[in-house]
Amino acid sequence: MKNLDLFEQFFKESRNVVFFGGAGVSTESGIPDFRSEDGLYRQKFRFPPEYMLSHECFERNPEEFFAFYREKMLATGAKPNPAHRKLAEWEREGRLNAVVTQNIDGLHQAAGSRNVFELHGSVHRNHCVRCGKSFPLAFVAESKGAPRCACGGIVKPDVVLYGESLPEDAWRGALREISRADLLIVAGTSLAVYPASSLIECCSGRLVVVNLSPTPADDRADLVLRERVGELFSAL
Ligand code: CNA
C-alpha cells in the first residue's frame, strides 16, 4: 500500500493524535454513506433526504420522518469494522487521544472507544419531547409510525437534524482535542457538512486524509491516502 510507511512514521512521531471521521468509516460495516456512488443522496425519494432528515419534516410530518429514519438511518445489526477496532485499541494503548465523529451509529463505542465526541448525536439516545424520558434504540426501531411516550409526547432521536444546532458539549470537546492535536487523521468524510467540517481548520499539527474521493482538505494535507479506511487500518 503506497505511503503507508509515511503514515506510520507520522503516527510514531506524534504525541497527540486525534481521529476525525464521517460516514465513510462505517460503509465497511454495511451502512451506506450520503455522497458515494451508492450513497443515500444518489437514490430517488419523494422528497430529498435533506428534507426527510430535517427538523421541519420531524415537526410537520413525523410519520414520514420516522418511516425514512427507520429504513435509512437505523442499522441495528451493523458491527464495528477494523477501523473502529484499531482506533479503540490505540486509545487503550494511550496512542490516540480522541475520536471526533459525524456518525450517529455508535460503532466507535461498540468497538470500545471511550473518548468519543459525537457531533451529530446518536441513534442510541432518544427522549420524549414532552416529559424528557429516555428510550433505547429498540423502542424507536420497533414502534409503528411516530413513537410515543406514555405521556403522549413524541420520542425524538438525539440526532442532529438539518435546521438544528450541534450539541455544545460535543462541539467544545472536539474543538479542544483538535486544537491541541499534533496529528489529525481525517477519514471517510466528504467534509461537505458545515459546521462540523470547519473544525479541522483548528488543527495546527500534521494532517492525514484517508478518503476514497477528493476532499477540500486534500490541498493542505501532509498526506492523502485514497484507500478504504477499514482496509488501511487493518494493514497498520
Ligand atoms: P458523506 O458526505 O457521505 O461522505 C462520505 C465520504 O466517505 C465520501 O467522500 C466517500 O468517498 C468516503 N468513503 C466512503 N466509504 C469509504 C471507505 N470505506 N474508506 C474511505 N472513504 C470512504 O458523509 P460525511 O460523514 O462526510 O457527511 C456527514 C453526514 C453523514 C453526517 O451528518 C452523518 O450523520 C451522516 N451519516 C452518518 C452515517 C453513520 O452514522 N454511519 C451514515 C450516513 C450518513
Side-chain angles (χ1 to χ4, degrees), residues 3-233:
N3 284 326
L4 194 62
D5 292 346
L6 187 56
F7 185 22
E8 287 184 325
Q9 184 194 323
F10 284 172
F11 188 66
K12 281 186 195 136
E13 289 172 357
S14 306
R15 291 284 157 269
N16 292 299
V17 183
V18 173
F19 182 90
F20 179 94
V25 176
S26 294
T27 52
E28 287 159 271
S29 294
I31 306 178
D33 64 6
F34 278 174
R35 293 178 182 82
S36 287
E37 281 303 311
D38 50 358
L40 200 53
Y41 282 19
R42 308 284 174 107
Q43 301 171 25
K44 286 269 171 288
F45 301 105
R46 193 151 73 90
F47 298 108
E50 287 92 335
Y51 176 73
M52 297 309 297
L53 294 171
S54 68
H55 186 79
E56 187 183 339
C57 179
F58 173 80
E59 290 285 334
R60 289 195 186 170
N61 306 302
E63 306 277 328
E64 286 209 48
F65 169 86
F66 279 103
F68 186 90
Y69 178 79
R70 277 191 202 99
E71 192 186 328
K72 300 294 175 189
M73 302 309 292
L74 291 186
T76 40
K79 299 269 183 302
N81 66 48
H84 299 105
R85 291 199 293 271
K86 180 68 77 178
L87 290 164
E89 185 186 314
W90 283 349
E91 185 184 338
R92 274 195 302 276
E93 294 169 353
R95 301 162 82 194
L96 179 85
N97 290 2
V99 169
V100 177
T101 184
Q102 299 164 85
N103 291 349
I104 55 174
D105 54 34
L107 290 183
H108 286 295
Q109 291 90 333
S113 287
R114 302 179 68 156
N115 200 27
V116 182
F117 297 92
E118 295 175 310
L119 297 172
H120 294 160
S122 172
V123 296
H124 293 281
R125 295 186 295 272
N126 305 274
H127 71 274
C128 169
V129 294
R130 191 178 293 170
C131 72
K133 186 177 172 199
S134 294
F135 290 84
L137 167 62
F139 180 81
V140 176
E142 288 158 18
S143 310
K144 299 274 172 278
R148 296 258 173 204
C149 176
C151 79
I154 291 189
V155 176
K156 182 181 183 294
D158 288 353
V159 160
V160 178
L161 303 176
Y162 286 97
E164 293 179 344
S165 48
L166 271 53
E168 221 175 284
D169 46 350
W171 178 265
R172 280 218 207 102
L175 187 61
R176 187 184 63 235
E177 297 287 358
I178 290 175
S179 308
R180 64 189 190 98
D182 55 2
L183 174 64
L184 181 65
I185 306 165
V186 172
T189 171
S190 62
L191 294 176
V193 176
Y194 183 86
S197 60
S198 67
L199 273 174
I200 69 161
E201 305 303 327
C202 305
C203 177
S204 52
R206 280 182 173 142
L207 180 68
V208 174
V209 174
V210 184
N211 208 62
L212 289 178
S213 52
T215 80
D218 293 1
D219 286 349
R220 57 160 290 226
D222 297 278
L223 177 63
V224 177
L225 296 159
R226 286 276 170 265
E227 307 282 352
R228 288 165 73 81
V229 61
E231 274 173 25
L232 179 96
F233 274 62

